[in-house]
Amino acid sequence: IEKFNSLPGMHDIYFVMVALLLAFGFLQTSGTLLDTERPAVSVISPSMCPAIQVGDILVVKGADYEDIQIDDVIIYDVPDRAEIQLGGEKIVLEGEGDTEETPQGTLELIDVIPSRDRSMDQVVLELNGEKLKPDGNYPVEGRQYSSSTYNIGINYVTSLPYDNTPIVHRVVEKHDNSFETMGDANTGQIEFERNVTADQVYGKQVFKIPRLGLLKLVTMDLLGLQGDQPLVLDATPSC
């Protein structure tokens, strides 16, 4: 070990390796202890700057609705959502498997396929058990599609969080059975933040490990694993 540490830069590399092992080992083993499915999350958005930076790892503890108060930072999921016009009728489907009975039959939301260009999010729908693929692809937000059996417009679709990373925002209002949240760096609320229910919440932040997750984000960015250009830092935001 002494010989290893005497090599130039080896001490720093050793420290980073140990830190990563501790951080991600903690992630894998602490879910039961902290009473949550998400005991730790890496922050990928600058929406909570400057209090929480991109690359910070947050340690999360499960919390009952009564234990979450205004100004707490909570970690939560957002169900897929699609707003659709079918045969002149407006339909809202929320969450995978949600269905609506229409004159054309049973319409079901199967999935939302997110794109880094949010205007190109695709929605996977089934009408009477058959997937709708009007032009060979799944329907895209903001477009109209017609066939001999249906006329469907996709008004709005969303799939959050992107890349399966939960939302990390601060509670700004608490109601009888829901919360309102907002990012510290955001100028206003996003639609989904106005009604966050208890069953969406994984827990609240108890402490953070500064910037440790940035190594993973930068590596994925440089390798082009986030749908972006490889060898260019074009998908890692900063405050």
Side-chain angles (χ1 to χ4, degrees):
I1 293 177
E2 289 181 2
K3 183 177 180 180
F4 176 85
N5 286 335
S6 67
L7 296 175
M10 286 298 104
H11 182 271
D12 292 337
I13 294 173
Y14 177 74
F15 174 79
V16 170
M17 290 175 62
V18 170
L20 287 172
L21 287 172
L22 287 175
F24 291 99
F26 174 86
L27 173 64
Q28 297 298 321
T29 61
S30 60
T32 301
L33 178 64
L34 293 174
D35 191 27
T36 177
E37 296 176 23
R38 292 276 191 164
V41 295
S42 295
V43 177
I44 64 171
S45 163
S47 64
M48 284 296 293
C49 293
I52 300 174
Q53 303 277 330
V54 174
D56 287 352
I57 292 180
L58 305 185
V59 177
V60 182
K61 186 179 187 304
D64 294 332
Y65 175 81
E66 295 77 12
D67 297 328
I68 297 174
Q69 306 300 328
I70 291 176
D71 207 40
D72 285 341
V73 174
I74 62 172
I75 291 80
Y76 63 94
D77 209 342
V78 179
D80 290 349
R81 180 182 175 90
E83 297 179 7
I84 300 158
Q85 293 281 344
L86 179 60
E89 178 185 358
K90 181 179 178 180
I91 299 168
V92 177
L93 299 173
E94 190 167 84
E96 294 178 11
D98 193 12
T99 62
E100 181 78 16
E101 295 300 325
T102 75
Q104 291 79 14
T106 302
L107 183 69
E108 180 177 358
L109 175 61
I110 304 300
D111 192 14
V112 174
I113 305 172
S115 169
R116 191 164 292 279
D117 177 357
R118 295 292 304 281
S119 67
M120 295 301 293
D121 287 352
Q122 294 179 299
V123 59
V124 184
L125 299 167
E126 284 189 358
L127 184 60
N128 297 321
E130 293 188 12
K131 285 188 172 64
L132 300 185
K133 299 182 73 173
D135 55 4
N137 298 305
Y138 292 116
V140 174
E141 179 181 324
R143 299 187 186 178
Q144 298 282 333
Y145 301 87
S146 297
S147 76
S148 58
T149 57
Y150 61 82
N151 181 3
I152 188 168
I154 311 301
N155 297 341
Y156 171 82
V157 296
T158 186
S159 180
L160 291 169
Y162 185 80
D163 199 29
N164 200 34
T165 301
I167 302 297
V168 176
H169 279 176
R170 193 178 304 279
V171 176
V172 294
E173 294 286 347
K174 184 176 181 180
H175 303 295
D176 289 342
N177 54 13
S178 66
F179 307 100
E180 293 188 41
T181 71
M182 192 168 77
D184 289 356
N186 292 349
T187 56
Q189 286 180 297
I190 307 170
E191 180 184 359
F192 65 78
E193 295 188 278
R194 297 189 178 97
N195 184 36
V196 180
T197 58
D199 60 358
Q200 293 176 239
V201 179
Y202 291 111
K204 61 182 181 179
Q205 174 198 353
V206 287
F207 66 90
K208 68 179 180 180
I209 306 172
R211 309 292 273 177
L212 186 58
L214 193 59
L215 179 61
K216 175 185 175 182
L217 295 179
V218 170
T219 300
M220 292 180 67
D221 191 350
L222 289 175
L223 293 176
L225 298 178
Q226 303 184 81
D228 55 307
Q229 186 176 353
L231 303 179
V232 179
L233 285 173
D234 55 352
T236 302
S238 60
C239 291

